[in-house]
Amino acid sequence: ELETVEHFVAVFASIDIDGGGTVDQDEIFEALLQAGVDISEEGVATLFNMIDEDGSGEIDEEEWKEAADFYLELKEEEKEMARKEEDTSKAQERLRAQKI
């Protein structure tokens, strides 16, 4: 699976153009634009501020990993909810079939 913490660390390294171990808002914006993401500068600022936990104006690798972990947890919860919803739908279908 592409979406792993290791994948996000590799993405961080590719965004960290100057190799300084941190990324700034401009580097994030440029990387997203190159990736074809339709996002405004304001959108990048919001995203950046959510990840930049210490308010330093730069995102370090640890902050990036924490954001990646959070994102992956949310995606896993979303998948689990979808599975439960599918199971509920199947159970409802079986009940309807039995009532006929």
Side-chain angles (χ1 to χ4, degrees), residues 37-98:
V37 176
D38 182 24
I39 190 166
S40 66
E41 287 188 47
E42 293 81 18
V44 171
T46 299
L47 176 65
F48 191 89
N49 290 328
M50 289 171 59
I51 299 172
D52 182 21
E53 291 183 356
D54 63 6
S56 67
E58 296 183 316
I59 296 172
D60 63 32
E61 191 171 322
E62 192 56 38
E63 289 171 319
W64 185 263
K65 282 183 186 176
E66 288 176 21
D69 280 336
F70 181 69
Y71 168 76
L72 293 170
E73 285 174 23
L74 285 178
K75 291 227 13 159
E76 192 54 44
E77 286 177 18
E78 188 178 83
K79 286 180 190 174
E80 183 61 30
M81 288 175 60
R83 280 193 291 272
K84 286 180 181 178
E85 193 173 295
E86 186 177 322
D87 289 346
T88 300
S89 293
K90 287 179 182 176
Q92 288 171 341
E93 286 296 320
R94 284 194 303 272
L95 283 173
R96 280 191 213 108
Q98 289 174 359

Side-chain angles (χ1 to χ4, degrees), residues 10-24 27 31 59 61:
V11 169
F12 179 88
S14 71
I15 295 172
D16 183 18
I17 298 166
D18 62 8
T22 61
V23 293
D24 62 26
E27 288 173 310
I59 296 172
E61 191 171 322

